[in-house]
Amino acid sequence: MSGPRLGVNIDHVATIRNARGGGTPDPVRAALLSEQAGADGITAHLREDRRHIGDADIDGLMAALTVPLNFEMAATLEMQGIALRHKPHAACLVPEKREERTTEGGLGVVQDERRLAEFITPLREAGCRVSLFIEADPQQIEASARIGAPVIELHTGTFAEAHNAGNVERRAYEFERLAEGVRVATAAGLEVHLGHGLDFDTARMVSAIPDIAELNIGHFLIGESVFIGLEEAIRRMRTAIDEGYAEGRAAA
Ligand code: PXP
């Protein structure tokens, strides 16, 4: 029984490369290895400050990948131009702040509804599957559906943090918030992805929620590959996702 698709985020291969300023490790090589190990897609976030993935990495990924590229981007005209030039399979809009270490919180779709509606139109017309990275907040979910985004990605960061802190009550609360978000989104006709901060345990848990199409996972997999190799980390993640999915089906 096969669970949600697994998108592997290779940003932090570029983080390690950039720490030395040379060409290794190469994120495109990591992406191709991820494909071989069973990744259903590759995610890369071209940040405004190019702190990890660079423009040449996106060129390389577009040329080499046989699985879909999910291009993570801020809702800026520069990034829109790059996405329209490459036409990746998917464009995932994320909030971006220079001072943050990783994407904090979700996009404020309610607060920026009219601008985002206009912003995603050319991307959709170019054939990119637009996804909005948001908190599992019914108002944000409904606004995403209103502006015509076909996909949302719900932020799993607070759920993962609660698990890592051993806070079982908080984890149960965050799990239910995600599950309810998925129900609201599915009822509104949206495809639902999940991502941020997931490891083997938390990916397994959220895969039990019905109607999840995709999980996007990066930091943990790249870190784990130091110990067990990238292919093995991806294989184990695939197994965790499939087991969680099967458990969810059995419990339904
Ligand atoms: N999904 C989105 C939209 C993200 O911004 C990120 C982090 O770049 C991820 C998934 C992956 O998160 P992590 O690296 O914590 O697995």
Side-chain angles (χ1 to χ4, degrees):
M1 206 172 339
S2 200
R5 294 191 299 268
L6 170 60
V8 174
N9 180 319
I10 44 105
D11 291 351
H12 296 310
V13 178
T15 303
I16 298 170
R17 176 195 59 194
N18 295 359
R20 276 294 170 95
T24 60
D26 176 11
V28 177
R29 182 174 168 203
L32 294 175
L33 196 64
S34 302
E35 270 191 23
Q36 276 175 34
D40 301 294
I42 297 295
T43 294
H45 182 178
L46 184 68
R47 294 184 75 104
E48 190 190 8
D49 63 7
R50 310 300 198 266
R51 71 172 70 153
H52 38 58
I53 292 293
D55 298 71
D57 296 321
I58 301 296
D59 295 343
L61 291 167
M62 284 303 297
L65 287 182
T66 59
V67 294
L69 176 66
N70 177 30
F71 179 66
E72 261 186 47
M73 54 181 269
T76 65
L77 288 178
E78 183 203 11
M79 289 301 151
Q80 189 190 51
I82 294 170
L84 291 175
R85 189 151 42 79
H86 284 295
K87 300 187 178 55
H89 166 80
C92 178
L93 304 192
V94 299
E96 202 175 293
K97 292 194 230 95
R98 268 181 187 265
E99 62 277 14
E100 71 193 356
R101 269 191 286 183
T102 181
T103 315
E104 290 167 2
L107 213 54
V109 186
V110 174
Q111 298 83 339
D112 208 7
E113 193 166 332
R114 187 166 331 155
R115 186 183 78 91
L116 286 172
E118 280 173 21
F119 187 86
I120 67 172
T121 301
L123 295 170
R124 295 189 60 197
E125 285 170 359
C128 296
R129 225 166 139 66
V130 172
S131 147
L132 305 178
F133 185 54
I134 58 173
E135 291 291 340
D137 168 352
Q139 291 193 339
Q140 299 293 353
I141 295 166
E142 277 152 14
S144 302
R146 270 199 305 276
I147 69 169
V151 182
I152 55 166
E153 180 167 324
L154 296 180
H155 200 311
T156 49
T158 46
F159 167 72
E161 269 169 33
H163 176 74
N164 296 338
N167 188 337
V168 179
E169 272 175 29
R170 177 86 193 168
R171 183 183 73 192
Y173 171 81
E174 293 293 342
F175 185 88
E176 187 43 43
R177 196 165 75 94
L178 286 169
E180 177 59 17
V182 178
R183 286 191 286 271
V184 172
T186 308
L190 294 162
E191 178 175 310
V192 184
H193 302 175
L194 300 179
H196 214 282
L198 296 173
D199 62 9
F200 293 138
D201 291 341
T202 46
R204 180 181 176 134
M205 287 182 237
V206 294
S207 295
I209 300 172
D211 301 317
I212 307 293
E214 182 173 306
L215 303 184
N216 283 304
I217 308 178
H219 183 266
F220 173 79
L221 285 174
I222 303 306
E224 193 65 9
S225 71
V226 172
F227 305 108
I228 60 172
L230 183 57
E231 285 181 287
E232 183 59 19
I234 290 171
R235 275 194 217 103
R236 288 193 198 177
M237 187 58 81
R238 181 74 262 162
T239 302
I241 292 170
D242 290 343
E243 286 177 359
Y245 176 74
E247 285 160 13
R249 295 275 296 240

